């Protein structure tokens, strides 16, 4: 499996992805808003885009569908219930397998929370990979402002994302690493790993931002650190009603609430 991450250099800070089969050169484009940039990248590598996949229905992920399908004739894949996305050729459900060329297989995860029809792709490769749209970001999680539900996002994290192997590479839909790390450090000022990654992030432009692993996320992403004493103590300062032993779900929801206005 070959993966090309494409920085869109736009205000949304989108990352697009091409996932290609090394034997046939067929490629799947994930959320190619800037479809021309994706098409150029594919041509440079001699790849042919045969499928487009939307992780969810927001326009900053679907806005390139028509251009890309018009230019390539690619098939469009999206969550089976994502009715707002027009022209879907294949509706996806939990456990479906998406094949790219002769060698690539991606498992569809049904991951509601950011929206209720959000999917992630998981590659069971030697080093696994997760294409996670706006569900998980580097050092953060998606908001739930536009059709989402923080409680469902918590469930998705606990029952699915957190159970994937620590070695999994994380490929989100946007580049928010430095900003999210600042939130981590606001919540957990003694998090040395987050401080180190932030210093590193400031030395790179977004096009060269690091690809984290889930193991690393568990060290630098507050939303995986729901048992951390500093996180809990500082949340109690902000929300005195939390009491002595708030449960993980409450911590997650309060972190999401704070991040909304941070
Ligand atoms: Zn979104
Ligand atoms: Zn987005």
């Amino acid at each position: 499996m070959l993966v090309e991450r494409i920085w869109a250099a736009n205000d949304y800070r989108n990352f697009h992805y091409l996932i290609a089969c090394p034997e046939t050169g067929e490629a799947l484009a994930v959320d190619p808003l800037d479809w021309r940039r994706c098409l150029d990248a594919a041509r440079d590598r001699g790849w042919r885009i045969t499928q487009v996949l939307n992780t969810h229905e927001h326009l900053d992920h679907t806005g390139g569908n028509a251009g890309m399908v018009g230019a390539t004739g690619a098939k469009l894949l999206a969550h089976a219930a994502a009715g707002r996305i027009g022209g879907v050729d294949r509706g996806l459900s939990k456990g479906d397998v998406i094949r790219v060329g002769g060698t690539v297989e991606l498992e569809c995860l049904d991951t509601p929370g950011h929206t209720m029809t959000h999917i992630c792709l998981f590659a069971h490769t030697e080093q696994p990979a997760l294409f996670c749209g706006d569900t998980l970001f580097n050092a953060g999680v998606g908001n739930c402002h536009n059709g989402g539900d923080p409680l469902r996002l918590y469930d998705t994290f606990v029952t699915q994302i957190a159970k994937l192997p620590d070695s999994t590479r994380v490929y989100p839909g946007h580049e928010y690493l430095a900003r999210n790390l600042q939130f981590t450090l606001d919540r957990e000022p003694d998090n040395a790993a987050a401080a180190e990654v932030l210093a590193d992030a400031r030395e790179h432009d977004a096009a060269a931002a690091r690809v984290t692993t889930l193991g690393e996320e568990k060290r630098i992403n507050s939303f995986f650190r729901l048992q951390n004493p500093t996180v809990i103590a500082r949340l109690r300062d902000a929300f005195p009603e939390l009491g002595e032993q708030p449960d993980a779900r409450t911590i997650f929801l309060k972190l999401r609430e704070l991040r909304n206005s941070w």
Side-chain angles (χ1 to χ4, degrees), residues 56 58 60-61 114 134:
H56 63 293
H58 287 158
D60 58 314
H61 297 256
H114 173 67
D134 292 358

Side-chain angles (χ1 to χ4, degrees), residues 35-53:
W35 61 274
R36 288 185 181 85
R37 201 179 280 256
C38 294
L39 203 53
D40 287 346
R43 281 189 183 128
D44 285 349
R45 286 153 192 78
W47 297 345
R48 192 165 55 87
I49 296 172
T50 54
Q51 299 176 84
V52 171
L53 181 138

Side-chain angles (χ1 to χ4, degrees), residues 203-220:
E203 287 180 16
H204 298 96
D205 61 21
R210 74 198 281 143
V211 176
T212 64
T213 63
L214 272 180
E216 190 172 18
E217 289 298 325
K218 289 172 186 172
R219 294 191 291 276
I220 64 171

